[in-house]
Amino acid sequence: MNAEIIAVGTELLLGQIANTNAQYLSSELAQLGINVFYHTAVGDNSSRLKDVIKGAQQRSNLIIFTGGLGPTKDDLTKETVASVLSVELEHDQKALNQIEQYFQRTNRHMTENNKKQALVLKGATVFPNDNGMAPGIAYKNKDCLYLLFPGPPSELKLMFDKYGRSFLLEQLETKQFMESRVLRFFGIGESQLETEIEDLIDSQKNPTIAPLAGEGEVTLRLTAKDNSLDRVTEMLNKVEEEIQRRVGTFFYGYGTTSLHSELFKKLQEKKLTISSAESLTGGSFANELTSFNGASLVYQGSIVCYQNEVKEKLLNVSPQVIKEHGAVSFECAKQMAEQVRQTLNSDIGVSFTGVAGPAEQEGKPVGTVFIGISIKNSKTEVYTLKLSGSRNGIRNRAVKYANFYLLKLLS
């Protein structure tokens, strides 16, 4: 079954709301083994909606509509679908009773146009709306199945969960399971990662492998489909094992996680505390780590030390080090990490110093970054980076690199 999702509403095209319904439905359909090949958004215009429907009929055998089932004149999804299919509309008595009861219950006057919400395609399967008024509709015409859902996400999600999913499962001749697994990598570019697993991508069939570049990160989405859920898991495990063997050094987590989320969990797991000395990053590391509930259990504090005087007086960085090597140096980053750990009495101290731009500093080019990591009873590590990009881009990537290095050291 190949599906297409058509979102109806001019507000979508104006950017007033995001099309979260399509995202939700795509995720749910994937779990049922149903392919979603197209997303379309169209305004409240009958002529354009007809064109979209006719195009969808040529390439999809499951067409799902969201929105346009309300009481006003610009809610025209049902009317347009009925026109294209040459099907009559009729009132669904249960839906009409539910709408009337709602107005009685809330002691409000029901206008005539509200009855429009109870209209359904003649001969259709009707999904009750347990969180609103307009019911959902399922209608089979020739070899194509049409599903119409209300636009408000709270109504659509409940309706699909209670009625839509089981209805679709009944329609599937061969029930399949589809599962995706997202692997997250840092410190390796998309082109390099793709080169390392190029033969796997070239030969992919099932599971499929889809690389996606993010902000300084790369993700791989593995997707497998089979009649057996156990077999799906087995296939995903096998291809992931080979990927990890080749580029596992750069792997840090699954799904929608982030570097700072993984670091936070690792610190909690090991019952370690951390503090930061931030010159280059201006408190960005602290801001990320303290965004989690319970951050006080792992985070001691930060000293934002942009000026050399602050480094010397608050962090006790040696003036001689700054004089001989500069504030942007291996030696300064090392002392900053060690001193903030001791000063704030934490298990770990991390430091940031570097040149974010727009001009060079101390004769060092923009993008020069030093990250120091001091772990109690361990040798202090200092990492030297040459980053490119905007001022904020350099700062943000420096924080990500620190999170990644800390994860590797703590693992």
Side-chain angles (χ1 to χ4, degrees), residues 32 50 53 100 117 132 142 155 172 176 207 209 280 284 295 301 318-319 347 350 352 374 376 385 395 400:
L32 300 179
K50 283 181 180 178
I53 295 172
E100 291 173 341
Q117 295 183 93
K142 298 180 181 177
E155 297 179 28
L172 292 171
Q176 286 192 315
I209 305 170
L280 167 77
S284 296
S318 167
D347 299 306
V350 58
F352 301 84
S374 173
K376 189 182 293 183
L385 300 172
R395 286 152 49 96
K400 287 189 173 186

Short mmCIF file of all heavy atoms in Angstrom, two decimals, residues 32 50 53 100 117 132 142 155 172 176 207 209 280 284 295 301 318-319 347 350 352 374 376 385 395 400:
data_model
loop_
_atom_site.label_atom_id
_atom_site.label_comp_id
_atom_site.label_asym_id
_atom_site.label_seq_id
_atom_site.Cartn_x
_atom_site.Cartn_y
_atom_site.Cartn_z
N LEU A 32 3.23 0.41 10.28
CA LEU A 32 2.31 -0.58 9.71
C LEU A 32 2.84 -1.17 8.42
O LEU A 32 2.19 -2.01 7.79
CB LEU A 32 0.95 0.07 9.44
CG LEU A 32 0.22 0.67 10.65
CD1 LEU A 32 -1.09 1.29 10.21
CD2 LEU A 32 -0.02 -0.39 11.72
N LYS A 50 -8.89 19.74 -6.20
CA LYS A 50 -9.24 18.72 -7.20
C LYS A 50 -8.01 18.29 -8.00
O LYS A 50 -7.81 17.10 -8.27
CB LYS A 50 -10.31 19.28 -8.16
CG LYS A 50 -11.71 19.31 -7.57
CD LYS A 50 -12.70 19.85 -8.60
CE LYS A 50 -14.12 19.89 -8.02
NZ LYS A 50 -15.09 20.45 -8.99
N ILE A 53 -5.90 16.00 -5.89
CA ILE A 53 -6.50 14.67 -5.75
C ILE A 53 -6.28 13.84 -7.01
O ILE A 53 -5.89 12.66 -6.95
CB ILE A 53 -8.01 14.78 -5.44
CG1 ILE A 53 -8.22 15.43 -4.07
CG2 ILE A 53 -8.66 13.39 -5.46
CD1 ILE A 53 -9.67 15.77 -3.77
N GLU A 100 -25.07 17.85 18.33
CA GLU A 100 -26.20 18.49 19.02
C GLU A 100 -26.05 18.38 20.53
O GLU A 100 -26.31 19.34 21.27
CB GLU A 100 -27.51 17.85 18.55
CG GLU A 100 -27.86 18.18 17.10
CD GLU A 100 -29.06 17.41 16.61
OE1 GLU A 100 -29.41 16.38 17.23
OE2 GLU A 100 -29.66 17.82 15.57
N GLN A 117 -20.78 19.51 9.57
CA GLN A 117 -19.70 18.68 10.08
C GLN A 117 -20.09 17.21 10.15
O GLN A 117 -19.22 16.33 10.18
CB GLN A 117 -19.26 19.16 11.46
CG GLN A 117 -18.63 20.54 11.45
CD GLN A 117 -18.14 20.96 12.81
OE1 GLN A 117 -16.98 20.76 13.16
NE2 GLN A 117 -19.02 21.54 13.60
N GLY A 132 -13.79 16.01 19.49
CA GLY A 132 -14.23 17.16 18.72
C GLY A 132 -15.57 16.89 18.09
O GLY A 132 -16.39 16.16 18.65
N LYS A 142 -12.87 1.94 -6.28
CA LYS A 142 -12.02 1.18 -7.19
C LYS A 142 -10.83 0.62 -6.42
O LYS A 142 -10.98 -0.10 -5.45
CB LYS A 142 -11.60 2.05 -8.37
CG LYS A 142 -12.77 2.53 -9.21
CD LYS A 142 -12.32 3.38 -10.37
CE LYS A 142 -13.53 3.86 -11.19
NZ LYS A 142 -13.16 4.76 -12.29
N GLU A 155 -7.48 15.99 17.77
CA GLU A 155 -8.58 15.18 17.25
C GLU A 155 -8.05 14.08 16.33
O GLU A 155 -8.46 12.92 16.41
CB GLU A 155 -9.57 16.06 16.49
CG GLU A 155 -10.25 17.11 17.37
CD GLU A 155 -11.21 17.99 16.60
OE1 GLU A 155 -11.78 17.52 15.58
OE2 GLU A 155 -11.40 19.16 16.99
N LEU A 172 -4.98 -4.36 4.91
CA LEU A 172 -3.72 -4.86 4.39
C LEU A 172 -3.80 -6.34 4.09
O LEU A 172 -4.12 -7.15 4.96
CB LEU A 172 -2.59 -4.60 5.39
CG LEU A 172 -2.22 -3.12 5.61
CD1 LEU A 172 -1.25 -3.00 6.78
CD2 LEU A 172 -1.59 -2.55 4.35
N GLN A 176 2.84 -6.31 7.37
CA GLN A 176 4.28 -6.22 7.55
C GLN A 176 4.63 -5.27 8.68
O GLN A 176 3.86 -4.37 9.01
CB GLN A 176 4.96 -5.73 6.27
CG GLN A 176 5.02 -6.77 5.16
CD GLN A 176 5.94 -6.32 4.05
OE1 GLN A 176 5.89 -5.18 3.60
NE2 GLN A 176 6.79 -7.22 3.60
N PRO A 207 17.63 -4.03 5.03
CA PRO A 207 17.26 -2.67 5.38
C PRO A 207 17.84 -1.62 4.39
O PRO A 207 18.83 -1.87 3.70
CB PRO A 207 17.90 -2.47 6.77
CG PRO A 207 18.26 -3.83 7.26
CD PRO A 207 18.54 -4.63 6.01
N ILE A 209 19.53 2.30 4.06
CA ILE A 209 20.41 3.17 4.84
C ILE A 209 20.34 4.58 4.25
O ILE A 209 20.62 4.77 3.07
CB ILE A 209 21.88 2.68 4.80
CG1 ILE A 209 21.96 1.22 5.25
CG2 ILE A 209 22.77 3.56 5.65
CD1 ILE A 209 23.32 0.59 5.01
N LEU A 280 35.88 31.37 25.33
CA LEU A 280 35.35 31.37 23.96
C LEU A 280 33.83 31.24 23.92
O LEU A 280 33.16 31.96 23.17
CB LEU A 280 35.98 30.19 23.20
CG LEU A 280 35.37 29.81 21.87
CD1 LEU A 280 35.80 30.78 20.79
CD2 LEU A 280 35.75 28.38 21.50
N SER A 284 27.88 28.94 27.09
CA SER A 284 27.01 28.07 26.30
C SER A 284 26.99 26.64 26.82
O SER A 284 25.95 25.97 26.83
CB SER A 284 27.45 28.06 24.84
OG SER A 284 27.32 29.33 24.27
N ALA A 295 19.77 19.04 37.03
CA ALA A 295 21.13 19.44 36.65
C ALA A 295 22.00 19.74 37.86
O ALA A 295 23.22 19.58 37.82
CB ALA A 295 21.08 20.66 35.74
N GLY A 301 28.97 24.54 38.53
CA GLY A 301 28.92 25.95 38.18
C GLY A 301 29.89 26.28 37.06
O GLY A 301 30.59 25.41 36.53
N SER A 318 48.07 31.07 35.81
CA SER A 318 49.36 31.74 35.97
C SER A 318 49.53 32.88 34.97
O SER A 318 49.40 32.66 33.76
CB SER A 318 50.49 30.73 35.79
OG SER A 318 51.72 31.39 35.64
N PRO A 319 49.82 34.09 35.44
CA PRO A 319 50.09 35.20 34.53
C PRO A 319 51.24 34.89 33.59
O PRO A 319 51.26 35.36 32.45
CB PRO A 319 50.44 36.36 35.46
CG PRO A 319 49.79 36.01 36.77
CD PRO A 319 49.88 34.53 36.85
N ASP A 347 34.26 16.87 40.15
CA ASP A 347 35.05 15.73 39.69
C ASP A 347 35.72 16.03 38.36
O ASP A 347 36.78 15.47 38.06
CB ASP A 347 34.16 14.49 39.54
CG ASP A 347 33.53 14.09 40.85
OD1 ASP A 347 34.27 13.91 41.83
OD2 ASP A 347 32.29 13.95 40.90
N VAL A 350 36.04 21.41 32.68
CA VAL A 350 36.19 21.54 31.24
C VAL A 350 36.41 23.02 30.91
O VAL A 350 35.79 23.89 31.52
CB VAL A 350 34.97 20.98 30.47
CG1 VAL A 350 33.68 21.65 30.90
CG2 VAL A 350 35.18 21.09 28.97
N PHE A 352 37.23 26.20 27.82
CA PHE A 352 37.13 26.63 26.43
C PHE A 352 37.89 27.93 26.23
O PHE A 352 37.63 28.91 26.95
CB PHE A 352 35.67 26.86 26.02
CG PHE A 352 34.77 25.68 26.17
CD1 PHE A 352 34.19 25.39 27.41
CD2 PHE A 352 34.51 24.84 25.10
CE1 PHE A 352 33.35 24.30 27.55
CE2 PHE A 352 33.68 23.75 25.24
CZ PHE A 352 33.10 23.47 26.48
N SER A 374 39.84 18.17 32.63
CA SER A 374 40.58 17.70 33.81
C SER A 374 39.65 16.81 34.63
O SER A 374 38.63 17.29 35.14
CB SER A 374 41.06 18.89 34.64
OG SER A 374 41.64 18.44 35.85
N LYS A 376 39.45 14.27 37.92
CA LYS A 376 40.15 13.99 39.17
C LYS A 376 40.92 12.67 39.09
O LYS A 376 40.39 11.67 38.61
CB LYS A 376 39.15 13.94 40.32
CG LYS A 376 39.78 13.87 41.70
CD LYS A 376 38.72 13.78 42.79
CE LYS A 376 37.91 15.06 42.88
NZ LYS A 376 36.92 15.00 44.00
N LEU A 385 41.58 22.32 18.07
CA LEU A 385 40.69 22.26 16.91
C LEU A 385 40.94 23.42 15.97
O LEU A 385 41.32 24.51 16.40
CB LEU A 385 39.22 22.31 17.36
CG LEU A 385 38.72 21.19 18.29
CD1 LEU A 385 37.32 21.51 18.78
CD2 LEU A 385 38.74 19.86 17.56
N ARG A 395 31.56 28.69 18.02
CA ARG A 395 31.27 28.53 19.47
C ARG A 395 30.40 27.30 19.72
O ARG A 395 30.67 26.51 20.64
CB ARG A 395 30.59 29.80 19.99
CG ARG A 395 31.52 30.98 20.15
CD ARG A 395 30.80 32.33 20.00
NE ARG A 395 29.60 32.43 20.78
CZ ARG A 395 29.52 33.00 22.00
NH1 ARG A 395 30.62 33.51 22.54
NH2 ARG A 395 28.39 33.08 22.64
N LYS A 400 29.91 21.26 21.27
CA LYS A 400 29.60 19.89 20.86
C LYS A 400 30.83 19.00 20.94
O LYS A 400 30.75 17.84 21.39
CB LYS A 400 29.03 19.88 19.45
CG LYS A 400 27.60 20.42 19.36
CD LYS A 400 27.00 20.18 17.99
CE LYS A 400 25.54 20.56 17.97
NZ LYS A 400 24.87 20.23 16.70
#
